[in-house]
């Protein structure tokens, strides 16, 4: 067997609905099943999802307080009041700020922006910032992507006599700020049709309401925060993403062009991954290391030279951020493994003195990926006794809900079920660790700590076609709640498999079923080559893609996970280098089974003795438990029966066959009955015979080996046909007739010959079949 790295949660489809979709939408069954698994349960819903460009945006005035906010902003514009956009330092906040700035500048507003410094001010509105804003003569402040938790700060804004309009999308707390207006799709009692907008989506709705028509020119900004903030790409978010990517390809924004240039991305290649893995990390890097202002300036500038300089600066900051993340991750992993091992902690809370608070969220994500536990990473300021950090969760543990139970020690926190940010007194970290672990123990099971891969559908090799893969692109852009489709290919044979890459850490394979072959690549899966036996059937999970090379287009599978459901046999019989096996192949998951103490003695210096089991007899073999284990068969047992006894409690997951032997019985000269008959007649005629003196002469005379004569003599002795005294062999008069098979030596020889024939001098397939037969007999 080969255990998959993750649990495969395979979606099931209603075949009747699949057929209905195929007939009405002119799509393939594979694409129909993907639509169903994304919640499209009617033909009309599926049609709308596929033809997203034909959809329209919801009326922005359906959002609570939208009319009130628009009226106040229009009043400020009409009276030339100074307006401040108060944003956030991540990609969603930066793009939200840029959307509001663009809309208000278009309307001729007297507007500027303010983004707090992550390190000196922290997340969200703060009183010191409001003091500066008030002192600057600003009479209206509009938050974007922040503010819903700023209850005290909002009250302070009233004291300073400026109006505060909050636009946000984070989870509202039990008490809402007393702001002039709050625009939020998740407010209690909200009737807005879609609740999952990103911060930039909410800002875009306000811009729409202010401008009086859909501001399509701002979609290239709205798409950045929408994809970067990992909101569900369905409904209005899908519309923003789809149209936004189209506008991004045609962008005239000087800053975006410069950013794409340092990312090395061509316009025609822009897709959701361009934002998720190229643009957003660079925009985020600015606010993670310093003030986020340069990121806003980059998106807003019209000066080509300024754009080029800002883009280079941001790219350099991203490289610096990557190194910092790597260093902190290394420290954090060591902290977990030495102080709070995952098998003893359901929630991991990791803290470090002076860690960069701007990157701890990324580190938390990496720890979740490595340990698969809800994780909080905190940067400790010991001088001020403050801990600032970010959290990431796993399925089954709602971070926001569980942190809400700890509000008494969390003066500042906010976020979502899967991610959160917080500030607390460093003295309370241990108490937070205790509480969250206790809460997690009440809701999480051992199964919850195994990562999950959601698989859209089971796919046959015949379905892996260019047409199917091209149709799947209609489901793009992909993201949260609309992930890139993952398919499962079950129980196929590999026709070739090899390691590729400079470090041989990737896997290239071809799998085949029903006469159809498909190429596949698994990045980082090179080690799998040593864990899949030659004729094993493999199951593969991955994403389908098209490989274009040399003007040829072929379907391929990008493999993410592999499993083998059947037991596997690995053949190391042929001139095996025992030292190499135990140095390069052996792992701590294996047990070494030997049947002869002499074999262990001979190879003792090479063997991992704590993993060695010496089988002493059949009863001992029956008592051993190897079901589901990986076992190395070091040598051959005295008989096949011992192997049958070995597996009475269940079959192993893997067998590594080495089968070291001291003697080669199979190719020995095997005495026939004629040999025995002649020797018996010889003793009748010659009488007592001195084996010590004349055995060699007799061997030369007959062309036998001396071992053959010793063997015959021993068999006769066991059958009580002869006596042997100091080398002198004599017939026993009137001995009873007995068959050769009654001799233990004769039987053992026959068994050794038979077992060598079946387990050493056989092909791989024959050997595996031998074990299959043994398993059947063992179970019977």
């Amino acid at each position: 067997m080969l255990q998959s790295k993750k649990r495969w949660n395979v979606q099931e489809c209603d075949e009747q609905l699949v057929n209905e979709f195929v007939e009405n939408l002119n799509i393939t069954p594979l694409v129909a099943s993907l639509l169903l698994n994304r919640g499209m349960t009617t033909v009309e819903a599926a049609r709308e999802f596929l033809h997203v460009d034909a959809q329209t945006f919801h009326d922005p005035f359906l959002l609570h307080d939208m009319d009130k906010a628009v009226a106040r902003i229009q009043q400020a514009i009409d009276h030339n009041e100074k307006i401040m956009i108060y944003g956030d330092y991540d990609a969603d906040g930066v793009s939200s700020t840029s959307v509001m700035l663009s809309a208000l500048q278009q309307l001729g507003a007297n507007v500027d922006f303010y983004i707090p410094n992550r390190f000196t001010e922290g997340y969200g509105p703060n009183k010191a910032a409001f003091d500066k804003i008030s002192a600057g003569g600003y009479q209206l402040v509009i938050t974007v992507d922040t503010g819903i938790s700023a209850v005290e700060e909002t009250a302070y804004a009233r004291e300073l006599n400026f109006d505060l309009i909050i636009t946000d999308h984070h989870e509202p707390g039990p008490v809402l700020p007393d702001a002039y207006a709050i625009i939020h799709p998740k407010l209690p009692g909200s009737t807005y049709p879609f609740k999952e907008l990103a911060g930039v989506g909410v800002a875009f709705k306000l811009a729409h309401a202010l401008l009086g028509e859909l501001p399509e020119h701002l979609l290239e900004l709205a798409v950045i925060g929408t994809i970067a903030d990992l909101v569900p790409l369905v409904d209005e978010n899908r519309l923003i993403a789809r149209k936004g990517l189209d506008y991004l390809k045609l962008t005239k924004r000087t800053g975006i062009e410069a950013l794409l240039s340092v990312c090395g991305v061509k316009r025609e290649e822009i897709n959701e991954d361009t934002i998720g893995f190229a643009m957003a990390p660079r925009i985020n890097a600015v606010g993670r290391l310093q003030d986020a202002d340069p990121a806003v300036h980059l998106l807003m500038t019209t000066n080509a030279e300024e754009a080029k300089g800002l883009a280079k600066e941001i790219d350099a900051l991203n490289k610096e951020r990557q190194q910092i993340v790597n260093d902190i991750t290394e420290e954090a992993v060591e902290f977990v493994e030495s102080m709070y091992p995952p098998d003893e902690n359901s929630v991991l809370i990791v803290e470090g003195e002076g860690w960069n608070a701007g990157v701890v969220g990324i580190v938390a994500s990496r720890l979740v990926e490595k340990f698969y536990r809800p994780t909080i990473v905190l940067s400790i300021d010991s001088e001020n006794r403050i801990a600032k950090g970010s959290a990431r969760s796993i399925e089954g543990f709602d971070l926001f809900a569980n942190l809400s139970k700890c509000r008494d020690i969390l003066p500042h926190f906010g976020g979502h079920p899967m991610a959160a940010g917080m500030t607390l007194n460093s003295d309370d970290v241990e108490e937070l660790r205790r509480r969250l672990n206790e809460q997690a123990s009440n809701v999480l099971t051992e199964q919850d700590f195994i990562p999950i891969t959601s698989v859209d559908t089971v796919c046959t090799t015949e379905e892996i076609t260019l047409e199917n893969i091209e149709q799947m692109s209609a489901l793009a852009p992909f993201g949260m709640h609309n992930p890139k489709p993952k398919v499962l290919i079950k129980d196929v044979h590999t026709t070739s498999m090899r390691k590729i890459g400079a470090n041989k850490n990737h896997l290239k394979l071809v799998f085949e079923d029903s006469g159809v072959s498909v190429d596949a690549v698994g990045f980082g899966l090179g080690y799998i080559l040593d864990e899949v036996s030659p004729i094993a059937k493999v199951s593969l999970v991955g994403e389908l893609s098209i490989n274009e090379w040399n003007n040829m287009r072929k379907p391929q599978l990008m493999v993410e996970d592999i499993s083998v459901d059947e037991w596997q046999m690995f053949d190391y019989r042929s001139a095996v280098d025992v030292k190499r096996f135990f140095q390069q192949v052996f792992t701590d998951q294996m047990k070494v089974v030997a049947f002869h103490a002499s074999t262990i003695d001979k190879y003792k210096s090479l063997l991992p003795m704590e993993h060695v089991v010496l089988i002493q007899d059949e009863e001992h073999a029956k008592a051993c438990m190897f079901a589901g284990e990986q076992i190395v068969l070091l040598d051959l047992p005295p008989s096949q029966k011992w192997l049958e006894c070995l597996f009475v409690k269940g079959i192993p997951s893997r067998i590594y066959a080495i089968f070291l032997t001291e003697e080669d019985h199979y190719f020995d000269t095997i005495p026939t009955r004629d040999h025995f008959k002649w020797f018996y007649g010889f003793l009748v005629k010659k009488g007592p015979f001195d084996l010590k003196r004349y055995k060699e002469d007799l061997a030369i005379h007959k062309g036998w080996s001396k071992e053959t004569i010793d063997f015959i003599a021993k068999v006769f002795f066991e059958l009580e046909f002869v006596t042997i005294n100091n080398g002198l062999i004599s017939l026993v008069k009137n001995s009873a007739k007995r068959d050769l098979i009654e001799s233990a030596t004769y039987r053992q020889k026959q068994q050794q010959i038979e077992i060598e024939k079946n387990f050493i001098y056989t092909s791989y397939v024959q050997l595996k079949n031998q074990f299959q037969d043994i398993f059947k007999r063992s179970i019977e």
Side-chain angles (χ1 to χ4, degrees):
M1 297 182 72
L2 173 63
Q3 187 67 44
S4 58
K5 294 184 297 182
K6 298 183 179 181
R7 286 181 285 156
W8 297 349
N9 181 20
V10 183
Q11 306 293 315
E12 295 184 358
C13 287
D14 184 324
E15 287 302 319
Q16 185 176 340
L17 281 175
V18 169
N19 294 333
E20 190 178 336
F21 279 24
V22 169
E23 290 176 15
N24 288 278
L25 299 172
N26 193 29
I27 56 178
T28 65
L30 177 59
V31 174
S33 65
L34 295 176
L35 286 166
L36 283 166
N37 289 334
R38 279 156 174 70
M40 312 300 137
T41 55
T42 66
V43 170
E44 189 54 40
R47 183 179 282 113
E48 286 183 7
F49 190 85
L50 289 172
H51 303 289
V52 61
D53 295 330
Q55 295 179 35
T56 57
F57 285 91
H58 302 306
D59 182 351
F61 286 96
L62 294 175
L63 283 160
H64 178 75
D65 276 355
M66 182 63 82
D67 52 351
K68 189 177 180 182
V70 169
R72 178 66 185 88
I73 295 169
Q74 192 59 57
Q75 176 188 329
I77 295 172
D78 292 344
H79 292 84
N80 198 33
E81 295 178 47
K82 294 179 73 175
I83 302 174
M84 179 66 75
I85 309 301
Y86 194 106
D88 187 26
Y89 34 66
D90 66 1
D92 190 14
V94 166
S95 57
S96 299
T97 303
S98 301
V99 163
M100 280 315 306
L101 279 172
S102 298
L104 291 175
Q105 286 175 355
Q106 186 176 333
L107 291 169
N110 182 2
V111 62
D112 203 351
F113 75 94
Y114 185 95
I115 295 179
N117 182 290
R118 181 192 295 261
F119 306 100
T120 59
E121 298 175 80
Y123 172 78
N126 66 83
K127 293 179 181 179
F130 279 2
D131 283 335
K132 294 177 189 174
I133 291 169
S134 178
Y138 291 89
Q139 296 160 282
L140 177 62
V141 175
I142 306 170
T143 74
V144 288
D145 190 35
T146 188
I148 196 61
S149 300
V151 176
E152 291 184 17
E153 292 78 8
T154 301
Y156 189 65
R158 284 189 174 277
E159 294 178 18
L160 295 174
N161 291 317
F162 64 77
D163 289 331
L164 180 66
I165 295 173
I166 293 173
T167 77
D168 200 355
H169 74 121
H170 294 93
E171 296 292 329
V175 179
L176 295 177
D178 185 18
Y180 182 89
I182 299 177
I183 300 174
H184 194 304
K186 291 184 180 180
L187 284 182
S190 172
T191 58
Y192 192 72
F194 184 58
K195 311 293 185 186
E196 302 298 334
L197 290 167
V200 73
V202 180
F204 182 79
K205 301 306 294 187
L206 178 54
H208 184 179
L210 283 167
L211 295 170
E213 60 181 12
L214 185 72
E216 295 205 4
H217 62 292
L218 298 180
L219 283 167
E220 62 184 320
L221 294 173
V223 68
I224 295 173
T226 297
I227 290 177
D229 214 51
L230 302 179
V231 291
L233 288 192
V234 296
D235 200 283
E236 216 163 22
N237 286 339
R238 177 168 165 78
L239 193 54
I240 290 172
R242 183 69 165 259
K243 287 180 175 290
L245 287 170
D246 290 340
Y247 276 96
L248 203 56
K249 292 177 182 178
L250 303 171
T251 187
K252 294 289 197 302
R253 283 186 177 261
T254 309
I256 290 180
E257 289 179 321
L259 183 58
L260 290 170
S261 178
V262 297
C263 293
V265 176
K266 299 176 182 176
R267 285 176 181 261
E268 63 272 16
E269 296 173 349
I270 290 174
N271 59 24
E272 62 271 23
D273 289 342
T274 304
I275 295 173
F277 299 106
M279 297 175 71
R282 287 170 170 81
I283 293 172
N284 281 327
V286 186
R288 292 185 189 283
L289 300 186
Q290 58 173 47
D291 285 329
D293 292 15
V296 177
H297 291 312
L298 176 64
L299 295 183
M300 297 297 296
T301 186
T302 58
N303 183 294
E305 283 304 312
E306 181 186 21
K308 187 176 179 180
L310 285 169
K312 285 184 177 179
E313 176 188 342
I314 287 172
D315 188 52
L317 285 170
N318 188 52
K319 288 184 173 66
E320 182 182 347
R321 186 270 307 168
Q322 289 172 328
Q323 186 58 54
I324 293 171
V325 168
N326 291 339
D327 292 343
I328 296 178
T329 300
E330 190 175 327
E331 289 182 48
V333 169
E334 184 179 345
F335 181 95
V336 169
E337 292 177 340
S338 61
M339 300 288 292
Y340 298 98
D343 57 352
E344 298 174 12
N345 290 268
S346 299
V347 177
L348 303 178
I349 299 183
V350 185
E351 67 263 27
E353 180 77 31
W355 282 352
N356 186 308
V359 302
V360 290
I362 303 174
V363 177
S365 294
R366 290 198 179 180
L367 294 185
V368 170
E369 185 177 338
K370 181 175 179 62
F371 299 114
Y372 204 68
R373 296 285 190 280
T375 300
I376 299 175
V377 180
L378 298 167
S379 173
I380 303 296
D381 177 353
S382 57
E383 184 177 340
N384 296 306
R385 296 168 62 193
I386 293 294
K388 292 182 181 180
S390 290
R392 300 292 182 269
S393 196
I394 63 175
E395 292 292 331
F397 191 77
D398 186 323
L399 261 181
F400 186 81
N402 280 283
L403 287 171
S404 295
K405 297 176 183 177
C406 305
R407 287 180 181 274
D408 59 311
I409 58 172
L410 290 174
H412 300 286
F413 87 96
H416 308 287
M418 297 298 287
M422 70 206 66
T423 301
L424 67 156
N425 189 303
S426 59
D427 295 338
D428 292 328
V429 171
E430 191 57 42
E431 175 63 12
L432 181 65
R433 178 181 286 116
R434 186 195 66 78
R435 290 191 195 181
L436 289 180
N437 269 287
E438 183 178 324
Q439 290 166 210
S441 66
N442 293 328
V443 296
L444 295 176
T445 66
E446 284 302 314
Q447 191 78 354
D448 291 319
F449 296 124
I450 303 173
I452 301 174
T453 290
S454 184
V455 179
D456 290 272
T457 188
V458 178
C459 181
T460 64
T461 51
E462 292 99 320
E463 291 179 294
I464 303 177
T465 64
L466 291 174
E467 179 190 8
N468 261 328
I469 298 172
E470 286 166 346
Q471 277 199 19
M472 282 166 54
S473 65
L475 276 63
F478 299 111
M480 294 294 289
H481 290 209
N482 181 35
K484 288 184 179 180
K486 286 185 174 60
V487 299
L488 166 63
I489 294 94
K490 293 185 70 174
D491 297 333
V492 292
H493 286 291
T494 58
T495 56
S496 74
M497 190 181 295
R498 58 191 174 91
K499 294 180 182 180
I500 59 172
N503 298 317
K504 301 298 180 185
N505 57 336
H506 308 307
L507 189 67
K508 172 77 174 177
L509 65 145
V510 178
F511 60 89
E512 184 270 339
D513 192 42
S514 303
V516 179
S517 295
V518 180
D519 293 347
V521 176
F523 290 107
L525 298 180
Y527 68 93
I528 293 289
L529 181 65
D530 301 319
E531 300 195 33
V532 177
S533 56
I535 61 172
K537 286 185 176 181
V538 301
S539 294
L540 309 155
V541 164
E543 296 175 2
L544 295 174
S545 64
I546 296 175
N547 182 23
E548 300 189 33
W549 184 76
N550 230 11
N551 296 320
M552 290 185 64
R553 302 173 80 238
K554 289 177 62 178
Q556 71 175 359
L557 180 73
M558 304 307 294
V559 182
E560 295 183 11
D561 209 352
I562 300 179
S563 75
V564 177
D565 292 333
E566 60 188 2
W567 77 275
Q568 295 190 86
M569 190 191 73
F570 296 85
D571 191 356
Y572 287 90
R573 296 173 299 172
S574 179
V576 65
D577 180 347
V578 183
K579 183 177 181 179
R580 186 185 67 82
F581 177 86
F582 284 106
Q583 287 182 345
Q584 299 179 16
V585 180
F586 183 84
T587 69
D588 286 342
Q589 284 73 49
M590 299 179 191
K591 291 182 179 178
V592 181
V593 176
F595 299 95
H596 303 281
S598 57
T599 310
I600 297 175
D601 289 340
K602 183 174 181 179
Y603 295 97
K604 193 170 185 178
S605 62
L606 302 177
L607 298 177
M609 294 304 296
E610 66 275 18
H611 295 275
V612 175
V613 178
L614 174 62
I615 304 299
Q616 297 162 1
D617 52 39
E618 291 181 10
E619 289 305 312
H620 182 208
K622 288 180 183 178
C624 292
M625 169 61 81
F626 294 117
E629 300 280 357
Q630 300 179 30
I631 64 170
V632 180
L633 293 178
L634 190 64
D635 55 13
L636 281 171
S639 75
Q640 192 164 301
K641 183 66 177 174
W642 286 45
L643 287 176
E644 293 174 14
C645 294
L646 202 63
F647 304 122
V648 293
K649 292 187 177 180
I651 68 174
S653 62
R654 299 183 194 177
I655 290 178
Y656 293 83
I658 296 181
F659 295 148
L660 299 169
T661 56
E662 294 294 321
E663 301 177 59
D664 199 338
H665 296 272
Y666 185 65
F667 290 107
D668 279 354
T669 301
I670 305 171
T672 65
R673 289 189 177 270
D674 286 340
H675 287 77
F676 285 99
K677 186 177 179 181
W678 184 91
F679 193 63
Y680 190 88
F682 173 76
L683 293 176
V684 171
K685 291 179 183 178
K686 297 293 186 180
F689 181 75
D690 192 339
L691 290 172
K692 284 186 176 180
R693 293 181 62 185
Y694 301 115
K695 178 170 54 177
E696 187 172 354
D697 295 336
L698 180 61
I700 293 170
H701 171 71
K702 292 297 294 179
W704 296 350
S705 68
K706 290 183 288 184
E707 288 75 16
T708 297
I709 296 171
D710 287 337
F711 179 77
I712 294 172
K714 188 174 182 181
V715 170
F716 280 173
F717 179 79
E718 289 178 357
L719 295 174
E720 298 180 345
F721 292 167
V722 301
T723 59
I724 302 175
N725 186 13
N726 198 25
L728 188 67
I729 183 168
S730 307
L731 282 176
V732 174
K733 292 181 180 181
N734 301 319
S735 60
K737 281 191 173 184
R738 299 177 68 183
D739 194 278
L740 295 175
I741 201 67
E742 295 181 56
S743 162
T745 297
Y746 187 85
R747 286 198 309 273
Q748 186 178 354
K749 185 73 170 180
Q750 293 294 88
Q751 289 169 353
Q752 287 295 326
I753 291 169
E754 184 67 16
I755 203 168
E756 286 183 10
K757 173 186 172 185
N758 292 338
F759 291 90
I760 295 182
Y761 303 107
T762 52
S763 68
Y764 176 90
V765 174
Q766 289 171 327
L767 180 60
K768 187 165 187 184
N769 288 337
Q770 284 288 344
F771 277 106
Q772 293 280 38
D773 292 340
I774 285 173
F775 295 156
K776 287 179 184 177
R777 290 195 293 274
S778 297
I779 294 171
E780 292 171 358

